[in-house]
Amino acid sequence: MKALFVPLGLLCVVSLGWLFNLAGAGAAPASMPVAPLIPFAAGGTWIDLTHEFAADTLYWPTAQRFQLEVESRAMTPKGYFYAANRYRASEHGGTHIDAPIHFAEKGKTVDQLPIDQLLGAAVVVDVSAQAAATADYQVSVADFEAWEKAHGQLPQGIIVLLRTGYAKRWPDPKTYLGTEMRGAEAVPQLHFPGLHPDAARWLVAQRSIKAIGLDTASIDYGQSSLFESHRILLEKNIPAFENVGDMSQLPATGLYIIALPMKIKEGSGGPLRIVAWMPGKR
């Protein structure tokens, strides 16, 4: 039997279109629709924005780091190879999601987040120059206003990604987190950029975003002790993607993001596989 290779985007378009048509008509369609329900069929590039999970994956200094334990990686007595592992880690480390309940008592858990909040059109706000000059930089309302002056107002229901440039420092804890220390004593030594609480308030009051992410360890900057940006966003059920990978290839607009976390029942967060699609030649 020959394998049939179909571009992922085209497969998504055809499959979804066929399913919607089938649901409406009650029978298989005479011909499969080709309407671009998802834009990937037009061609483009996928960018993986996920750091791999390994022994050197960075976690919050007080969190349990990722551990992979081999259960089997050998030939069996019956003559076939079999590999299986077990892993353990805290929810919040590596490329991961902060579910609203992480800082909002009545916020949604990971498994309660609707899928359509985790995928969709996205924009990139690049503050890498500012972050390179100041480790404790906080993305401001002025940064968003400058972005809007160049690209237009943030669309309703957009996913916002903040690029500080820190992903290129991964996984060196000294340059990425500001310290190599671990434990509670390391927390006051953290230095990395984040989102200013005033900008978080502006986003929830003046704009309508459905998710936000950045390439540092926290949506609040490293020296935060009140985690105000977390509280402001998560109380509005806006999840945050943290430790996102290198965004240097991404344009400011025209992106489509898929950010699907491990579906942990009642989870406050979890490992995230986040990818970006951008139009253009492959």
Side-chain angles (χ1 to χ4, degrees), residues 6 17 23 32 36 64 77 107 116 118 129 138 151 163 194-195 197 201 217 221 258:
V6 180
M32 291 185 180
Q64 178 180 315
D116 63 3
L118 302 172
Q138 297 185 74
H151 305 287
R163 179 181 177 241
L195 178 69
R201 293 187 188 95
Y221 81 130
I258 298 177

Side-chain angles (χ1 to χ4, degrees), residues 143-258:
D143 290 319
F144 285 106
E145 291 176 339
W147 187 95
E148 290 192 336
K149 185 176 181 180
H151 305 287
Q153 183 169 309
L154 289 172
Q156 185 173 358
I158 199 75
I159 295 173
V160 174
L161 297 179
L162 306 176
R163 179 181 177 241
T164 70
Y166 266 52
K168 292 188 174 182
R169 307 181 183 206
W170 184 276
D172 177 56
K174 179 65 175 177
T175 58
Y176 188 85
L177 297 173
T179 180
E180 296 176 327
M181 296 171 62
R182 294 278 298 160
E185 63 273 15
V187 175
Q189 308 303 319
L190 294 173
H191 292 277
F192 53 78
L195 178 69
H196 196 285
D198 288 346
R201 293 187 188 95
W202 181 84
L203 285 170
V204 301
Q206 303 296 326
R207 299 294 181 265
S208 177
I209 68 170
K210 61 181 180 180
I212 191 167
L214 81 173
D215 54 356
T216 72
S218 172
I219 199 70
D220 282 283
Y221 81 130
Q223 285 292 291
S224 175
S225 60
L226 297 177
F227 303 100
E228 293 175 88
S229 291
H230 273 93
R231 290 155 52 192
I232 293 163
L233 294 164
L234 301 186
E235 284 174 1
K236 297 298 184 180
N237 277 314
I238 299 172
F241 312 140
E242 296 174 333
N243 292 324
V244 175
D246 184 12
M247 303 183 208
S248 61
Q249 298 182 62
L250 303 183
T253 64
L255 300 170
Y256 196 95
I257 291 292
I258 298 177

